[in-house]
Amino acid sequence: MPPRNREIILGIGGGIAAYKSADLLRRLRDSGFLVTVIPTRSSLNFVGKATWEALSSREVHEDLWSNVHSVPHIALAKKAAAIVIAPTTADLLARIAQGRADDLLTNTVIASPAPLILVPAMHPEMWLNPATQANVALLKSRGVHIIEPDTGRLTGEDSGVGRFPETARILSSIQEVLGASSDYAGKRVLISAGGTREAIDPVRYIGNNSSGKQGYSIASAAASRGASVTLVSANVQLPDLDGVRIIHVKSAMEMQSALTEEFANCDLLVMAAAVADARPSVVGEVKIGKEDLQRIELIRNPDIVHELVRVKSAHQVVIGFAAETGANAIDRARKKLSVKGLDLLFCNDVSGGAIFNSEITSGTILDSAGNHWDVMDISKDTLADQLLDLALNKLG
Ligand code: CTP
């Protein structure tokens, strides 16, 4: 189970990545943390106090001198399970390394015995500057946890090392520091991802737009939470994941036989793949000439998840996905959940091709008890952890 009722102080440094901490804050709260946000003065140029107050459901203070009687930073500093500063600027690294206490955040840091987790994000030149690197080395030598920045696109046209990491990586590092990273230890998770391709002839197929990103996010999150993970992957452009057993398939029939083989050995099945509902009834042994391509006769593919649910045992949990467009999407999704006998279902609104190949997603999580939770513009990694949290409650 995710840790409950744990106090975290989330410091926000004055960098453009400050806005990404809004997602981190939400995920921390979803994972059961109580979060007090302390923004630095300069960070308020990027994200205002109101955002932090709304997302943390707590009052936010940024300086030492207003509300002196009510700023409980020393008490807070003492009871925090961790202080996370995301983003940490080069200036904050320098001030913390020097032990300075010239604002509320650095005062809190110096007054707290809690583990300190820093998430530096800045331009590559600033990150690689010898002064910054020396500060990082000094802080590490004192036991401060530094989450290394990602490499990739930065503000404007720049790219390189210094990017704010994905929320899921920060979250799993925090949970690791707090010893809460193994809530899936001993659980076996089976995941399907990607989109099936149904051969028409040796060169053509019927396929779909699924990128596989959501299934891969779930596989990676489950593995980092300690699960033993098998991923049945259909036609994706993504690299294999460390620590995840991957079975590559192409068609719906291949996917069905791989999943049927593995299903009895899993506790949780996450059916994130987009399975073609039908396949050509005859597959050309050689390339079909255009004059014979007027029409393709199709036969229905089996409903893989539905068939698996029929043979599921009581301890097993099954999550499905529904890609819907247009009105009444939720009603159709709820019907799918009940007809297919699923425990949880994520209903994606894919109108206009949104979501496919995107890093973010929106939609509604439904459960078999009739509950639903809307999610809006969250990363696929975040959704992965949320689904795993909900499934874990059901797995017991
Ligand atoms: N699914 C499956 N086998 C199929 C089709 C879908 O296992 N032949 C699974 C999908 O992986 C997903 C869920 O069923 O988890 C819902 O998929 P979706 O394509 O939304 O539903 P369909 O049953 O295909 O309904 P329709 O295409 O008519 O909306």
Side-chain angles (χ1 to χ4, degrees), residues 3-9 33-34 76-84 112-117 145 174 177-178:
R4 296 283 154 199
N5 295 325
R6 313 269 322 258
E7 286 286 348
I8 287 210
I9 293 173
F33 290 106
L34 302 165
L76 250 179
K78 283 194 178 137
K79 71 173 180 185
I83 300 181
V84 180
S112 174
L116 178 60
I117 303 168
H145 303 272
I174 295 170
V177 169
L178 297 178

mmCIF file with all atom_site columns, all heavy atoms in Angstrom, residues 3-9 33-34 76-84 112-117 145 174 177-178:
data_model
loop_
_atom_site.group_PDB
_atom_site.id
_atom_site.type_symbol
_atom_site.label_atom_id
_atom_site.label_alt_id
_atom_site.label_comp_id
_atom_site.label_asym_id
_atom_site.label_entity_id
_atom_site.label_seq_id
_atom_site.pdbx_PDB_ins_code
_atom_site.Cartn_x
_atom_site.Cartn_y
_atom_site.Cartn_z
_atom_site.occupancy
_atom_site.B_iso_or_equiv
_atom_site.pdbx_formal_charge
_atom_site.auth_seq_id
_atom_site.auth_comp_id
_atom_site.auth_asym_id
_atom_site.auth_atom_id
_atom_site.pdbx_PDB_model_num
ATOM 1   N N   . PRO A 1 3   ? 2.236  4.818  1.126  1.00 0.00 ? 3   PRO A N   1
ATOM 2   C CA  . PRO A 1 3   ? 2.269  5.355  2.477  1.00 0.00 ? 3   PRO A CA  1
ATOM 3   C C   . PRO A 1 3   ? 1.132  6.342  2.706  1.00 0.00 ? 3   PRO A C   1
ATOM 4   O O   . PRO A 1 3   ? 0.763  7.078  1.806  1.00 0.00 ? 3   PRO A O   1
ATOM 5   C CB  . PRO A 1 3   ? 3.618  6.068  2.548  1.00 0.00 ? 3   PRO A CB  1
ATOM 6   C CG  . PRO A 1 3   ? 4.018  6.283  1.147  1.00 0.00 ? 3   PRO A CG  1
ATOM 7   C CD  . PRO A 1 3   ? 3.353  5.246  0.314  1.00 0.00 ? 3   PRO A CD  1
ATOM 8   N N   . ARG A 1 4   ? 0.573  6.326  3.878  1.00 0.00 ? 4   ARG A N   1
ATOM 9   C CA  . ARG A 1 4   ? -0.546 7.224  4.190  1.00 0.00 ? 4   ARG A CA  1
ATOM 10  C C   . ARG A 1 4   ? -0.127 8.213  5.269  1.00 0.00 ? 4   ARG A C   1
ATOM 11  O O   . ARG A 1 4   ? 0.716  7.916  6.109  1.00 0.00 ? 4   ARG A O   1
ATOM 12  C CB  . ARG A 1 4   ? -1.740 6.422  4.700  1.00 0.00 ? 4   ARG A CB  1
ATOM 13  C CG  . ARG A 1 4   ? -2.309 5.479  3.682  1.00 0.00 ? 4   ARG A CG  1
ATOM 14  C CD  . ARG A 1 4   ? -3.157 6.207  2.659  1.00 0.00 ? 4   ARG A CD  1
ATOM 15  N NE  . ARG A 1 4   ? -3.176 5.481  1.413  1.00 0.00 ? 4   ARG A NE  1
ATOM 16  C CZ  . ARG A 1 4   ? -3.521 6.008  0.241  1.00 0.00 ? 4   ARG A CZ  1
ATOM 17  N NH1 . ARG A 1 4   ? -3.855 7.257  0.155  1.00 0.00 ? 4   ARG A NH1 1
ATOM 18  N NH2 . ARG A 1 4   ? -3.521 5.279  -0.840 1.00 0.00 ? 4   ARG A NH2 1
ATOM 19  N N   . ASN A 1 5   ? -0.780 9.382  5.248  1.00 0.00 ? 5   ASN A N   1
ATOM 20  C CA  . ASN A 1 5   ? -0.564 10.398 6.270  1.00 0.00 ? 5   ASN A CA  1
ATOM 21  C C   . ASN A 1 5   ? 0.892  10.712 6.534  1.00 0.00 ? 5   ASN A C   1
ATOM 22  O O   . ASN A 1 5   ? 1.329  10.752 7.668  1.00 0.00 ? 5   ASN A O   1
ATOM 23  C CB  . ASN A 1 5   ? -1.240 9.977  7.579  1.00 0.00 ? 5   ASN A CB  1
ATOM 24  C CG  . ASN A 1 5   ? -2.719 9.925  7.379  1.00 0.00 ? 5   ASN A CG  1
ATOM 25  O OD1 . ASN A 1 5   ? -3.264 10.739 6.628  1.00 0.00 ? 5   ASN A OD1 1
ATOM 26  N ND2 . ASN A 1 5   ? -3.393 8.977  8.010  1.00 0.00 ? 5   ASN A ND2 1
ATOM 27  N N   . ARG A 1 6   ? 1.626  10.904 5.475  1.00 0.00 ? 6   ARG A N   1
ATOM 28  C CA  . ARG A 1 6   ? 3.025  11.277 5.649  1.00 0.00 ? 6   ARG A CA  1
ATOM 29  C C   . ARG A 1 6   ? 3.181  12.725 5.208  1.00 0.00 ? 6   ARG A C   1
ATOM 30  O O   . ARG A 1 6   ? 2.690  13.119 4.172  1.00 0.00 ? 6   ARG A O   1
ATOM 31  C CB  . ARG A 1 6   ? 3.930  10.362 4.807  1.00 0.00 ? 6   ARG A CB  1
ATOM 32  C CG  . ARG A 1 6   ? 3.627  8.892  4.921  1.00 0.00 ? 6   ARG A CG  1
ATOM 33  C CD  . ARG A 1 6   ? 4.384  8.155  6.008  1.00 0.00 ? 6   ARG A CD  1
ATOM 34  N NE  . ARG A 1 6   ? 5.749  8.530  6.235  1.00 0.00 ? 6   ARG A NE  1
ATOM 35  C CZ  . ARG A 1 6   ? 6.799  7.846  5.809  1.00 0.00 ? 6   ARG A CZ  1
ATOM 36  N NH1 . ARG A 1 6   ? 6.643  6.785  5.067  1.00 0.00 ? 6   ARG A NH1 1
ATOM 37  N NH2 . ARG A 1 6   ? 8.014  8.225  6.110  1.00 0.00 ? 6   ARG A NH2 1
ATOM 38  N N   . GLU A 1 7   ? 3.868  13.466 6.025  1.00 0.00 ? 7   GLU A N   1
ATOM 39  C CA  . GLU A 1 7   ? 4.061  14.887 5.731  1.00 0.00 ? 7   GLU A CA  1
ATOM 40  C C   . GLU A 1 7   ? 5.270  15.094 4.833  1.00 0.00 ? 7   GLU A C   1
ATOM 41  O O   . GLU A 1 7   ? 6.360  14.619 5.142  1.00 0.00 ? 7   GLU A O   1
ATOM 42  C CB  . GLU A 1 7   ? 4.308  15.651 7.042  1.00 0.00 ? 7   GLU A CB  1
ATOM 43  C CG  . GLU A 1 7   ? 3.080  15.843 7.900  1.00 0.00 ? 7   GLU A CG  1
ATOM 44  C CD  . GLU A 1 7   ? 2.140  16.908 7.332  1.00 0.00 ? 7   GLU A CD  1
ATOM 45  O OE1 . GLU A 1 7   ? 2.525  17.658 6.409  1.00 0.00 ? 7   GLU A OE1 1
ATOM 46  O OE2 . GLU A 1 7   ? 0.994  16.961 7.826  1.00 0.00 ? 7   GLU A OE2 1
ATOM 47  N N   . ILE A 1 8   ? 5.065  15.818 3.762  1.00 0.00 ? 8   ILE A N   1
ATOM 48  C CA  . ILE A 1 8   ? 6.185  16.168 2.880  1.00 0.00 ? 8   ILE A CA  1
ATOM 49  C C   . ILE A 1 8   ? 6.210  17.681 2.695  1.00 0.00 ? 8   ILE A C   1
ATOM 50  O O   . ILE A 1 8   ? 5.148  18.310 2.578  1.00 0.00 ? 8   ILE A O   1
ATOM 51  C CB  . ILE A 1 8   ? 6.047  15.459 1.515  1.00 0.00 ? 8   ILE A CB  1
ATOM 52  C CG1 . ILE A 1 8   ? 6.358  13.977 1.684  1.00 0.00 ? 8   ILE A CG1 1
ATOM 53  C CG2 . ILE A 1 8   ? 6.927  16.100 0.456  1.00 0.00 ? 8   ILE A CG2 1
ATOM 54  C CD1 . ILE A 1 8   ? 6.943  13.304 0.491  1.00 0.00 ? 8   ILE A CD1 1
ATOM 55  N N   . ILE A 1 9   ? 7.407  18.233 2.704  1.00 0.00 ? 9   ILE A N   1
ATOM 56  C CA  . ILE A 1 9   ? 7.539  19.644 2.341  1.00 0.00 ? 9   ILE A CA  1
ATOM 57  C C   . ILE A 1 9   ? 8.038  19.694 0.909  1.00 0.00 ? 9   ILE A C   1
ATOM 58  O O   . ILE A 1 9   ? 9.041  19.062 0.574  1.00 0.00 ? 9   ILE A O   1
ATOM 59  C CB  . ILE A 1 9   ? 8.511  20.368 3.296  1.00 0.00 ? 9   ILE A CB  1
ATOM 60  C CG1 . ILE A 1 9   ? 7.882  20.427 4.696  1.00 0.00 ? 9   ILE A CG1 1
ATOM 61  C CG2 . ILE A 1 9   ? 8.832  21.776 2.779  1.00 0.00 ? 9   ILE A CG2 1
ATOM 62  C CD1 . ILE A 1 9   ? 8.799  20.959 5.773  1.00 0.00 ? 9   ILE A CD1 1
ATOM 63  N N   . PHE A 1 33  ? 0.283  11.401 0.479  1.00 0.00 ? 33  PHE A N   1
ATOM 64  C CA  . PHE A 1 33  ? 1.122  12.334 1.237  1.00 0.00 ? 33  PHE A CA  1
ATOM 65  C C   . PHE A 1 33  ? 0.353  13.626 1.519  1.00 0.00 ? 33  PHE A C   1
ATOM 66  O O   . PHE A 1 33  ? -0.472 14.058 0.717  1.00 0.00 ? 33  PHE A O   1
ATOM 67  C CB  . PHE A 1 33  ? 2.394  12.678 0.459  1.00 0.00 ? 33  PHE A CB  1
ATOM 68  C CG  . PHE A 1 33  ? 3.358  11.530 0.361  1.00 0.00 ? 33  PHE A CG  1
ATOM 69  C CD1 . PHE A 1 33  ? 3.518  10.825 -0.818 1.00 0.00 ? 33  PHE A CD1 1
ATOM 70  C CD2 . PHE A 1 33  ? 4.101  11.145 1.472  1.00 0.00 ? 33  PHE A CD2 1
ATOM 71  C CE1 . PHE A 1 33  ? 4.409  9.762  -0.909 1.00 0.00 ? 33  PHE A CE1 1
ATOM 72  C CE2 . PHE A 1 33  ? 4.992  10.088 1.395  1.00 0.00 ? 33  PHE A CE2 1
ATOM 73  C CZ  . PHE A 1 33  ? 5.140  9.395  0.206  1.00 0.00 ? 33  PHE A CZ  1
ATOM 74  N N   . LEU A 1 34  ? 0.664  14.211 2.658  1.00 0.00 ? 34  LEU A N   1
ATOM 75  C CA  . LEU A 1 34  ? 0.147  15.538 2.985  1.00 0.00 ? 34  LEU A CA  1
ATOM 76  C C   . LEU A 1 34  ? 1.267  16.506 2.675  1.00 0.00 ? 34  LEU A C   1
ATOM 77  O O   . LEU A 1 34  ? 2.368  16.362 3.197  1.00 0.00 ? 34  LEU A O   1
ATOM 78  C CB  . LEU A 1 34  ? -0.231 15.602 4.465  1.00 0.00 ? 34  LEU A CB  1
ATOM 79  C CG  . LEU A 1 34  ? -1.284 14.556 4.863  1.00 0.00 ? 34  LEU A CG  1
ATOM 80  C CD1 . LEU A 1 34  ? -1.372 14.398 6.361  1.00 0.00 ? 34  LEU A CD1 1
ATOM 81  C CD2 . LEU A 1 34  ? -2.627 14.948 4.281  1.00 0.00 ? 34  LEU A CD2 1
ATOM 82  N N   . LEU A 1 76  ? 7.033  22.252 11.351 1.00 0.00 ? 76  LEU A N   1
ATOM 83  C CA  . LEU A 1 76  ? 6.867  21.488 10.108 1.00 0.00 ? 76  LEU A CA  1
ATOM 84  C C   . LEU A 1 76  ? 8.144  20.764 9.730  1.00 0.00 ? 76  LEU A C   1
ATOM 85  O O   . LEU A 1 76  ? 8.132  19.590 9.358  1.00 0.00 ? 76  LEU A O   1
ATOM 86  C CB  . LEU A 1 76  ? 6.560  22.474 8.989  1.00 0.00 ? 76  LEU A CB  1
ATOM 87  C CG  . LEU A 1 76  ? 5.180  22.477 8.417  1.00 0.00 ? 76  LEU A CG  1
ATOM 88  C CD1 . LEU A 1 76  ? 5.081  23.530 7.341  1.00 0.00 ? 76  LEU A CD1 1
ATOM 89  C CD2 . LEU A 1 76  ? 4.825  21.109 7.881  1.00 0.00 ? 76  LEU A CD2 1
ATOM 90  N N   . ALA A 1 77  ? 9.244  21.499 9.843  1.00 0.00 ? 77  ALA A N   1
ATOM 91  C CA  . ALA A 1 77  ? 10.543 20.926 9.473  1.00 0.00 ? 77  ALA A CA  1
ATOM 92  C C   . ALA A 1 77  ? 10.820 19.691 10.300 1.00 0.00 ? 77  ALA A C   1
ATOM 93  O O   . ALA A 1 77  ? 11.421 18.735 9.824  1.00 0.00 ? 77  ALA A O   1
ATOM 94  C CB  . ALA A 1 77  ? 11.638 21.962 9.676  1.00 0.00 ? 77  ALA A CB  1
ATOM 95  N N   . LYS A 1 78  ? 10.363 19.715 11.554 1.00 0.00 ? 78  LYS A N   1
ATOM 96  C CA  . LYS A 1 78  ? 10.643 18.583 12.444 1.00 0.00 ? 78  LYS A CA  1
ATOM 97  C C   . LYS A 1 78  ? 9.811  17.363 12.108 1.00 0.00 ? 78  LYS A C   1
ATOM 98  O O   . LYS A 1 78  ? 10.264 16.240 12.262 1.00 0.00 ? 78  LYS A O   1
ATOM 99  C CB  . LYS A 1 78  ? 10.388 19.000 13.895 1.00 0.00 ? 78  LYS A CB  1
ATOM 100 C CG  . LYS A 1 78  ? 11.514 19.851 14.437 1.00 0.00 ? 78  LYS A CG  1
ATOM 101 C CD  . LYS A 1 78  ? 11.420 19.979 15.934 1.00 0.00 ? 78  LYS A CD  1
ATOM 102 C CE  . LYS A 1 78  ? 12.595 20.785 16.445 1.00 0.00 ? 78  LYS A CE  1
ATOM 103 N NZ  . LYS A 1 78  ? 12.213 21.753 17.463 1.00 0.00 ? 78  LYS A NZ  1
ATOM 104 N N   . LYS A 1 79  ? 8.566  17.590 11.670 1.00 0.00 ? 79  LYS A N   1
ATOM 105 C CA  . LYS A 1 79  ? 7.732  16.395 11.463 1.00 0.00 ? 79  LYS A CA  1
ATOM 106 C C   . LYS A 1 79  ? 7.664  15.910 10.013 1.00 0.00 ? 79  LYS A C   1
ATOM 107 O O   . LYS A 1 79  ? 7.030  14.901 9.717  1.00 0.00 ? 79  LYS A O   1
ATOM 108 C CB  . LYS A 1 79  ? 6.338  16.594 12.054 1.00 0.00 ? 79  LYS A CB  1
ATOM 109 C CG  . LYS A 1 79  ? 5.456  17.545 11.325 1.00 0.00 ? 79  LYS A CG  1
ATOM 110 C CD  . LYS A 1 79  ? 4.040  17.494 11.947 1.00 0.00 ? 79  LYS A CD  1
ATOM 111 C CE  . LYS A 1 79  ? 3.151  18.450 11.204 1.00 0.00 ? 79  LYS A CE  1
ATOM 112 N NZ  . LYS A 1 79  ? 1.866  18.658 11.656 1.00 0.00 ? 79  LYS A NZ  1
ATOM 113 N N   . ALA A 1 80  ? 8.358  16.601 9.100  1.00 0.00 ? 80  ALA A N   1
ATOM 114 C CA  . ALA A 1 80  ? 8.320  16.177 7.689  1.00 0.00 ? 80  ALA A CA  1
ATOM 115 C C   . ALA A 1 80  ? 9.013  14.829 7.511  1.00 0.00 ? 80  ALA A C   1
ATOM 116 O O   . ALA A 1 80  ? 10.051 14.572 8.109  1.00 0.00 ? 80  ALA A O   1
ATOM 117 C CB  . ALA A 1 80  ? 8.990  17.229 6.823  1.00 0.00 ? 80  ALA A CB  1
ATOM 118 N N   . ALA A 1 81  ? 8.411  13.980 6.681  1.00 0.00 ? 81  ALA A N   1
ATOM 119 C CA  . ALA A 1 81  ? 9.054  12.699 6.348  1.00 0.00 ? 81  ALA A CA  1
ATOM 120 C C   . ALA A 1 81  ? 10.170 12.946 5.346  1.00 0.00 ? 81  ALA A C   1
ATOM 121 O O   . ALA A 1 81  ? 11.140 12.179 5.289  1.00 0.00 ? 81  ALA A O   1
ATOM 122 C CB  . ALA A 1 81  ? 8.033  11.742 5.755  1.00 0.00 ? 81  ALA A CB  1
ATOM 123 N N   . ALA A 1 82  ? 10.031 14.008 4.567  1.00 0.00 ? 82  ALA A N   1
ATOM 124 C CA  . ALA A 1 82  ? 11.077 14.362 3.601  1.00 0.00 ? 82  ALA A CA  1
ATOM 125 C C   . ALA A 1 82  ? 10.853 15.796 3.141  1.00 0.00 ? 82  ALA A C   1
ATOM 126 O O   . ALA A 1 82  ? 9.729  16.299 3.188  1.00 0.00 ? 82  ALA A O   1
ATOM 127 C CB  . ALA A 1 82  ? 11.050 13.430 2.395  1.00 0.00 ? 82  ALA A CB  1
ATOM 128 N N   . ILE A 1 83  ? 11.937 16.427 2.733  1.00 0.00 ? 83  ILE A N   1
ATOM 129 C CA  . ILE A 1 83  ? 11.824 17.709 2.034  1.00 0.00 ? 83  ILE A CA  1
ATOM 130 C C   . ILE A 1 83  ? 12.262 17.457 0.600  1.00 0.00 ? 83  ILE A C   1
ATOM 131 O O   . ILE A 1 83  ? 13.336 16.919 0.354  1.00 0.00 ? 83  ILE A O   1
ATOM 132 C CB  . ILE A 1 83  ? 12.717 18.797 2.665  1.00 0.00 ? 83  ILE A CB  1
ATOM 133 C CG1 . ILE A 1 83  ? 12.315 19.026 4.124  1.00 0.00 ? 83  ILE A CG1 1
ATOM 134 C CG2 . ILE A 1 83  ? 12.634 20.093 1.861  1.00 0.00 ? 83  ILE A CG2 1
ATOM 135 C CD1 . ILE A 1 83  ? 13.129 20.117 4.822  1.00 0.00 ? 83  ILE A CD1 1
ATOM 136 N N   . VAL A 1 84  ? 11.370 17.812 -0.331 1.00 0.00 ? 84  VAL A N   1
ATOM 137 C CA  . VAL A 1 84  ? 11.683 17.627 -1.751 1.00 0.00 ? 84  VAL A CA  1
ATOM 138 C C   . VAL A 1 84  ? 11.722 19.022 -2.366 1.00 0.00 ? 84  VAL A C   1
ATOM 139 O O   . VAL A 1 84  ? 10.779 19.797 -2.178 1.00 0.00 ? 84  VAL A O   1
ATOM 140 C CB  . VAL A 1 84  ? 10.564 16.807 -2.442 1.00 0.00 ? 84  VAL A CB  1
ATOM 141 C CG1 . VAL A 1 84  ? 10.875 16.611 -3.920 1.00 0.00 ? 84  VAL A CG1 1
ATOM 142 C CG2 . VAL A 1 84  ? 10.351 15.469 -1.748 1.00 0.00 ? 84  VAL A CG2 1
ATOM 143 N N   . SER A 1 112 ? 15.680 21.109 9.523  1.00 0.00 ? 112 SER A N   1
ATOM 144 C CA  . SER A 1 112 ? 15.000 19.811 9.469  1.00 0.00 ? 112 SER A CA  1
ATOM 145 C C   . SER A 1 112 ? 15.957 18.627 9.461  1.00 0.00 ? 112 SER A C   1
ATOM 146 O O   . SER A 1 112 ? 16.942 18.622 8.709  1.00 0.00 ? 112 SER A O   1
ATOM 147 C CB  . SER A 1 112 ? 14.126 19.747 8.204  1.00 0.00 ? 112 SER A CB  1
ATOM 148 O OG  . SER A 1 112 ? 13.582 18.457 8.085  1.00 0.00 ? 112 SER A OG  1
ATOM 149 N N   . PRO A 1 113 ? 15.632 17.615 10.242 1.00 0.00 ? 113 PRO A N   1
ATOM 150 C CA  . PRO A 1 113 ? 16.436 16.390 10.202 1.00 0.00 ? 113 PRO A CA  1
ATOM 151 C C   . PRO A 1 113 ? 15.968 15.444 9.097  1.00 0.00 ? 113 PRO A C   1
ATOM 152 O O   . PRO A 1 113 ? 16.567 14.381 8.896  1.00 0.00 ? 113 PRO A O   1
ATOM 153 C CB  . PRO A 1 113 ? 16.147 15.768 11.577 1.00 0.00 ? 113 PRO A CB  1
ATOM 154 C CG  . PRO A 1 113 ? 14.765 16.236 11.924 1.00 0.00 ? 113 PRO A CG  1
ATOM 155 C CD  . PRO A 1 113 ? 14.548 17.552 11.242 1.00 0.00 ? 113 PRO A CD  1
ATOM 156 N N   . ALA A 1 114 ? 14.895 15.819 8.365  1.00 0.00 ? 114 ALA A N   1
ATOM 157 C CA  . ALA A 1 114 ? 14.299 14.907 7.369  1.00 0.00 ? 114 ALA A CA  1
ATOM 158 C C   . ALA A 1 114 ? 15.224 14.727 6.166  1.00 0.00 ? 114 ALA A C   1
ATOM 159 O O   . ALA A 1 114 ? 16.021 15.610 5.854  1.00 0.00 ? 114 ALA A O   1
ATOM 160 C CB  . ALA A 1 114 ? 12.964 15.477 6.899  1.00 0.00 ? 114 ALA A CB  1
ATOM 161 N N   . PRO A 1 115 ? 15.102 13.593 5.496  1.00 0.00 ? 115 PRO A N   1
ATOM 162 C CA  . PRO A 1 115 ? 15.875 13.420 4.259  1.00 0.00 ? 115 PRO A CA  1
ATOM 163 C C   . PRO A 1 115 ? 15.567 14.550 3.281  1.00 0.00 ? 115 PRO A C   1
ATOM 164 O O   . PRO A 1 115 ? 14.418 14.987 3.172  1.00 0.00 ? 115 PRO A O   1
ATOM 165 C CB  . PRO A 1 115 ? 15.367 12.090 3.687  1.00 0.00 ? 115 PRO A CB  1
ATOM 166 C CG  . PRO A 1 115 ? 14.600 11.427 4.763  1.00 0.00 ? 115 PRO A CG  1
ATOM 167 C CD  . PRO A 1 115 ? 14.217 12.460 5.777  1.00 0.00 ? 115 PRO A CD  1
ATOM 168 N N   . LEU A 1 116 ? 16.608 15.000 2.594  1.00 0.00 ? 116 LEU A N   1
ATOM 169 C CA  . LEU A 1 116 ? 16.452 16.095 1.639  1.00 0.00 ? 116 LEU A CA  1
ATOM 170 C C   . LEU A 1 116 ? 16.644 15.533 0.231  1.00 0.00 ? 116 LEU A C   1
ATOM 171 O O   . LEU A 1 116 ? 17.653 14.885 -0.063 1.00 0.00 ? 116 LEU A O   1
ATOM 172 C CB  . LEU A 1 116 ? 17.508 17.171 1.944  1.00 0.00 ? 116 LEU A CB  1
ATOM 173 C CG  . LEU A 1 116 ? 17.548 18.393 1.025  1.00 0.00 ? 116 LEU A CG  1
ATOM 174 C CD1 . LEU A 1 116 ? 16.215 19.145 1.037  1.00 0.00 ? 116 LEU A CD1 1
ATOM 175 C CD2 . LEU A 1 116 ? 18.680 19.340 1.459  1.00 0.00 ? 116 LEU A CD2 1
ATOM 176 N N   . ILE A 1 117 ? 15.634 15.748 -0.612 1.00 0.00 ? 117 ILE A N   1
ATOM 177 C CA  . ILE A 1 117 ? 15.673 15.215 -1.982 1.00 0.00 ? 117 ILE A CA  1
ATOM 178 C C   . ILE A 1 117 ? 15.633 16.403 -2.941 1.00 0.00 ? 117 ILE A C   1
ATOM 179 O O   . ILE A 1 117 ? 14.657 17.161 -2.948 1.00 0.00 ? 117 ILE A O   1
ATOM 180 C CB  . ILE A 1 117 ? 14.468 14.276 -2.235 1.00 0.00 ? 117 ILE A CB  1
ATOM 181 C CG1 . ILE A 1 117 ? 14.455 13.148 -1.194 1.00 0.00 ? 117 ILE A CG1 1
ATOM 182 C CG2 . ILE A 1 117 ? 14.506 13.716 -3.655 1.00 0.00 ? 117 ILE A CG2 1
ATOM 183 C CD1 . ILE A 1 117 ? 13.171 12.338 -1.172 1.00 0.00 ? 117 ILE A CD1 1
ATOM 184 N N   . HIS A 1 145 ? 19.939 13.539 -1.213 1.00 0.00 ? 145 HIS A N   1
ATOM 185 C CA  . HIS A 1 145 ? 19.590 12.751 -2.397 1.00 0.00 ? 145 HIS A CA  1
ATOM 186 C C   . HIS A 1 145 ? 19.412 13.696 -3.575 1.00 0.00 ? 145 HIS A C   1
ATOM 187 O O   . HIS A 1 145 ? 18.613 14.620 -3.506 1.00 0.00 ? 145 HIS A O   1
ATOM 188 C CB  . HIS A 1 145 ? 18.280 11.982 -2.175 1.00 0.00 ? 145 HIS A CB  1
ATOM 189 C CG  . HIS A 1 145 ? 18.343 11.095 -0.979 1.00 0.00 ? 145 HIS A CG  1
ATOM 190 N ND1 . HIS A 1 145 ? 18.803 9.803  -1.034 1.00 0.00 ? 145 HIS A ND1 1
ATOM 191 C CD2 . HIS A 1 145 ? 18.031 11.330 0.328  1.00 0.00 ? 145 HIS A CD2 1
ATOM 192 C CE1 . HIS A 1 145 ? 18.758 9.276  0.175  1.00 0.00 ? 145 HIS A CE1 1
ATOM 193 N NE2 . HIS A 1 145 ? 18.290 10.180 1.023  1.00 0.00 ? 145 HIS A NE2 1
ATOM 194 N N   . ILE A 1 174 ? 11.387 9.298  -4.424 1.00 0.00 ? 174 ILE A N   1
ATOM 195 C CA  . ILE A 1 174 ? 10.927 9.718  -3.090 1.00 0.00 ? 174 ILE A CA  1
ATOM 196 C C   . ILE A 1 174 ? 10.505 8.480  -2.299 1.00 0.00 ? 174 ILE A C   1
ATOM 197 O O   . ILE A 1 174 ? 10.880 8.305  -1.128 1.00 0.00 ? 174 ILE A O   1
ATOM 198 C CB  . ILE A 1 174 ? 9.737  10.710 -3.193 1.00 0.00 ? 174 ILE A CB  1
ATOM 199 C CG1 . ILE A 1 174 ? 10.186 12.013 -3.863 1.00 0.00 ? 174 ILE A CG1 1
ATOM 200 C CG2 . ILE A 1 174 ? 9.137  10.985 -1.819 1.00 0.00 ? 174 ILE A CG2 1
ATOM 201 C CD1 . ILE A 1 174 ? 9.054  12.950 -4.232 1.00 0.00 ? 174 ILE A CD1 1
ATOM 202 N N   . VAL A 1 177 ? 13.467 6.549  -1.146 1.00 0.00 ? 177 VAL A N   1
ATOM 203 C CA  . VAL A 1 177 ? 14.109 7.172  0.027  1.00 0.00 ? 177 VAL A CA  1
ATOM 204 C C   . VAL A 1 177 ? 13.288 6.862  1.280  1.00 0.00 ? 177 VAL A C   1
ATOM 205 O O   . VAL A 1 177 ? 13.825 6.608  2.344  1.00 0.00 ? 177 VAL A O   1
ATOM 206 C CB  . VAL A 1 177 ? 14.259 8.700  -0.176 1.00 0.00 ? 177 VAL A CB  1
ATOM 207 C CG1 . VAL A 1 177 ? 14.671 9.392  1.107  1.00 0.00 ? 177 VAL A CG1 1
ATOM 208 C CG2 . VAL A 1 177 ? 15.257 8.990  -1.287 1.00 0.00 ? 177 VAL A CG2 1
ATOM 209 N N   . LEU A 1 178 ? 11.971 6.846  1.128  1.00 0.00 ? 178 LEU A N   1
ATOM 210 C CA  . LEU A 1 178 ? 11.106 6.600  2.292  1.00 0.00 ? 178 LEU A CA  1
ATOM 211 C C   . LEU A 1 178 ? 10.848 5.110  2.508  1.00 0.00 ? 178 LEU A C   1
ATOM 212 O O   . LEU A 1 178 ? 10.042 4.732  3.350  1.00 0.00 ? 178 LEU A O   1
ATOM 213 C CB  . LEU A 1 178 ? 9.780  7.339  2.123  1.00 0.00 ? 178 LEU A CB  1
ATOM 214 C CG  . LEU A 1 178 ? 9.925  8.860  2.061  1.00 0.00 ? 178 LEU A CG  1
ATOM 215 C CD1 . LEU A 1 178 ? 8.577  9.514  1.848  1.00 0.00 ? 178 LEU A CD1 1
ATOM 216 C CD2 . LEU A 1 178 ? 10.560 9.394  3.329  1.00 0.00 ? 178 LEU A CD2 1
#
